[in-house]
Amino acid sequence: NRPSHVLVQSNCEDVALYIYDTLTELGMEALPSTVPRSLDSLVSATPSKRTTAWLQEQERNNNDTDLGVQQRRAAGENWSAEPYLPVFTETEVSCMHKTSTPVHRCLFRANCS
C-alpha cells in the first residue's frame, strides 16, 4: 500500500497548529522538513491579524496563570520555511510578496490499508 499525504498550509498560525494537532491525534505522521522554519524567522516576520490576536491572547493567558510557559509556535523540524509545491499558491503570493506574513506549512503521511 502506498502512503497518502496531506499538506497543511495556512497564514494563520493557530489554525495551522490546530490542524497539526488534529492530524497527529488521528494517527498521521508529521514529516521532517528539508528546510525547517526557525523560531527566529517567525519572531521577525509580520504575522496576520488573526495570528497577532492569537499571540496576544496566549500572552494574556500565560500572564494570568503566571507559569512562565513559552508560547507554542509553528516552528521546528516539521514546519517548512520553503514551499512544498513547485508553484506558489495564491496564499503564498499574497503573504510572501505583499505583506511578508509567514505561511505555515507541514506535510503529513498516513499509511492507508
Side-chain angles (χ1 to χ4, degrees):
N1 293 330
R2 285 184 19 173
S4 298
H5 292 85
V6 174
L7 173 61
V8 173
Q9 183 168 283
S10 177
N11 63 324
C12 299
E13 192 169 359
D14 62 316
V15 172
L17 288 167
Y18 178 82
I19 295 170
Y20 180 99
D21 292 343
T22 301
L23 293 176
T24 300
E25 288 172 13
L26 292 172
M28 296 189 81
E29 175 189 4
L31 301 176
S33 170
T34 56
V35 185
R37 162 79 38 89
S38 71
L39 183 58
D40 289 342
S41 71
L42 279 181
V43 171
S44 64
T46 305
S48 67
K49 289 179 184 178
R50 179 185 173 113
T51 296
T52 299
W54 173 73
L55 289 170
Q56 290 170 345
E57 179 182 339
Q58 296 300 308
E59 188 173 321
R60 278 193 304 277
N61 290 343
N62 286 345
N63 288 340
D64 290 345
T65 59
D66 197 32
L67 295 176
V69 177
Q70 186 175 4
Q71 292 177 326
R72 181 170 169 230
R73 302 295 304 270
E77 72 173 353
N78 296 328
W79 296 96
S80 181
E82 298 292 327
Y84 280 105
L85 303 175
V87 295
F88 289 125
T89 64
E90 183 179 345
T91 298
E92 288 171 318
V93 170
S94 176
C95 292
M96 293 169 32
H97 299 293
K98 293 181 183 176
T99 63
S100 299
T101 299
V103 176
H104 311 286
R105 304 173 194 88
C106 189
L107 187 63
F108 283 84
R109 176 177 53 211
N111 292 312
C112 300
S113 342

